[in-house]
Amino acid sequence: MTAITTPASELDVPYEGLAPTATADFNRDGFIHLSGVLSPETIAQYEPTITSEVIRLNTQHLPLAERDTYGKAFLQVTNLWRENEKVRRLVFSRRLAGIAAKLLGVHAVRLYHDQALYKEPGGGITPWHADQYYWPLSSDRCLTIWLPLQETPLDMGPLAFARGSHNFSYGRDLAISDESEARLAQVVAEQNFEDVVEPFALGDASFHRGWTFHHAGPNPATVPRRVMTVIYMDADIRVAEPTNDPQVRDRGWMPGTEVGQVPRTPLNPVLYDSRTA
Ligand SMILES: O=C(O)CCC(=O)C(=O)O
């Protein structure tokens, strides 16, 4: 009898495009932009589901003109993997988590949470900021994949990074705001950090460290700039004492944990472990 084999989903097959220098490049720059992380066909399969979940779960109904700068930047819908089995398959992709583990130089990564970030037509800038300001975590071994769900040209607000800024500690006390935009734009200019702004082809994705300063332009296009993100952390990272109010709230991503514990909760599964891959 002939065995019937189902081809493994691209989502769980290792990515072959990582250069031997990728981890070192990522450590030096604080981000990396990779081509062909997923095929256009895979993105086309998942985009409609993510978009309909964003529409279903969105709680932001104010007109753009009545929102603050953060509110104008994007619609933000979190932990979609808990809402939809198909989205769960994307968020739990071993390919994506495997890239995250390699870039961080760790054996295994755990999910912190996911979020869809949809910059509406006419949506504003994403102010300069560093994500780790929000995270009560014991080390900087955490990163975000930014996965656009359409081709993203320069005039649609692709994510942009200040190269090497993850090693600079000034400005880490700033929430996303007009103040973070003004102060960090000044820091980036004064420190001569290169502001790396690039278009994204369909299937490209970037990965950035928690302390890397990043921002995005507005979206004057007539269609939303649709993006899925997943935040991964070293599987051995621990919950840290919050240092600000947003970090107190962010402890909710690791429910029931105490400071000092590894967040082994049902919401923070290990998504990739090189020792069992
Ligand atoms: O999509 C954006 O405009 C912002 C994304 C971002 O800040 C992030 O993924 O950390």
Side-chain angles (χ1 to χ4, degrees), residues 74 117 119 126 129 131 144 146 159 208 214 216 225 229:
F74 40 68
L117 299 174
K119 206 181 266 299
T126 304
H129 68 281
D131 302 333
T144 304
W146 193 84
L159 202 59
H208 62 275
H214 54 286
R225 188 220 62 184
T229 68

Side-chain angles (χ1 to χ4, degrees), residues 45-200:
Q45 251 184 341
Y46 284 87
E47 181 280 321
T49 309
I50 296 172
T51 297
S52 62
E53 287 297 303
V54 168
I55 292 166
R56 184 173 75 84
L57 297 164
N58 170 48
T59 55
Q60 171 61 273
H61 299 296
L62 279 179
L64 274 165
E66 291 174 30
R67 302 185 207 160
D68 65 8
T69 301
Y70 191 161
K72 285 181 179 136
F74 40 68
L75 302 179
Q76 184 170 13
V77 181
T78 52
N79 265 357
L80 290 172
W81 72 271
R82 299 186 68 196
E83 303 285 339
N84 184 293
E85 170 55 25
K86 186 163 177 184
V87 183
R88 191 194 68 77
R89 288 205 292 277
L90 179 71
V91 171
F92 280 37
S93 158
R94 284 205 302 280
R95 170 181 290 205
L96 303 183
I99 299 172
K102 282 206 190 71
L103 293 175
L104 287 175
V106 298
H107 287 301
V109 288
R110 200 178 278 291
L111 177 64
Y112 187 48
H113 61 85
D114 71 51
Q115 46 190 7
L117 299 174
Y118 276 42
K119 206 181 266 299
E120 297 148 277
I125 62 158
T126 304
W128 280 105
H129 68 281
D131 302 333
Q132 198 140 355
Y133 165 81
Y134 293 92
W135 301 342
L137 299 174
S138 63
S139 86
D140 63 356
R141 302 276 119 182
C142 28
L143 62 70
T144 304
I145 178 177
W146 193 84
L147 178 69
L149 304 175
Q150 74 290 298
E151 198 182 326
T152 311
L154 290 180
D155 59 4
M156 208 184 194
L159 202 59
F161 308 93
R163 196 192 296 281
S165 59
H166 59 303
N167 293 318
F168 186 72
S169 53
Y170 175 86
R172 290 184 173 186
D173 56 342
L174 296 168
I176 302 177
S177 58
D178 292 328
E179 189 191 0
S180 72
E181 171 67 12
R183 282 177 53 192
L184 294 179
Q186 193 182 351
V187 163
V188 168
E190 282 171 3
Q191 298 296 317
N192 287 319
F193 290 129
E194 183 190 355
D195 180 8
V196 183
V197 194
E198 291 172 345
F200 283 64

Side-chain angles (χ1 to χ4, degrees), residues 1-5:
M1 192 200 258
T2 319
I4 299 171
T5 51

